[in-house]
């Protein structure tokens, strides 16, 4: 199975990514996590991304706050799908990072999840890998069913 890269702009983003790591672990998807900043370590970020496909990665998840250029900077170096997680890290409550991540100019796409949407980033990355992995697709289908059952139980509990 291809690996997923989880790149964060700072180790201060790490707590927000817990849901991403946990979801990847639950699905038994191999991943690597790194701290590379688009601003502070632009060379390392570019080198990682340009080599990621040859190094066995299938998707890159990029989490960053404030003027969050990381996802776009990584996407510029690869044709692997890049998923951006805007991190709530400033007085602007993550709206700065959301706009910086989602408003990519034409030609270099970044699939952007919600502010702090770490779990959805992992699930979207898994769905991308599952296009060519029936076993992973079955796990994701089972997860959807467990979510459905959980909601139905909550519904039933309202009317006892
Ligand atoms: C971004 O700036 C990082 O992704 C982080 O969300 C934010 C603050 O970084 P630190 O100053 O905490 O290192 O680059």
């Amino acid at each position: 199975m291809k690996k997923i890269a989880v790149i964060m702009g700072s180790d201060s983003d790490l707590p927000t990514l817990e849901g991403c790591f946990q979801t990847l672990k639950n699905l038994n998807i191999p991943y690597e996590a790194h701290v590379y900043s688009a601003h502070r370590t632009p060379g390392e970020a570019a080198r990682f991304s340009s080599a990621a496909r040859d190094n066995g990665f299938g998707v890159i998840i990029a989490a960053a706050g404030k003027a969050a250029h990381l996802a776009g900077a990584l996407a510029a170096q690869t044709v692997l799908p890049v998923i951006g997680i805007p991190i709530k890290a400033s007085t602007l409550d993550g709206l700065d990072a959301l706009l910086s991540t989602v408003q990519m100019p034409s030609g270099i796409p970044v699939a952007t999840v919600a502010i702090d949407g770490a779990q959805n980033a992992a699930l979207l990355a898994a769905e991308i890998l599952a296009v060519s992995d029936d076993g992973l697709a079955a796990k994701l289908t089972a997860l959807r069913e467990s979510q459905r059952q959980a909601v139905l139980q909550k519904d039933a509990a309202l009317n006892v």
Side-chain angles (χ1 to χ4, degrees), residues 8-13 37 39-40 63-67 87 89:
M8 66 205 84
S10 168
D11 65 349
S12 64
D13 300 322
S37 165
H39 312 284
R40 295 164 176 160
K66 298 185 177 175
I87 299 289

Side-chain angles (χ1 to χ4, degrees), residues 15 27 39-40 50 60 64 66 71 82 91 96 101 117 124 137 142 149:
L27 292 166
H39 312 284
R40 295 164 176 160
S50 57
I60 296 175
K66 298 185 177 175
V82 174
T91 49
D96 44 0
T101 305
L124 182 55
Q149 291 299 337

Side-chain angles (χ1 to χ4, degrees), residues 68-69 71-72 86 95-112:
H69 298 156
L95 185 58
D96 44 0
L98 172 64
L99 297 178
S100 299
T101 305
V102 78
Q103 286 284 60
M104 283 298 292
S106 296
I108 309 292
V110 168
T112 305

Side-chain angles (χ1 to χ4, degrees), residues 25-41:
K25 282 179 195 156
N26 291 346
L27 292 166
N28 281 319
I29 297 175
Y31 69 89
E32 275 182 30
H34 295 281
V35 179
Y36 293 133
S37 165
H39 312 284
R40 295 164 176 160
T41 61

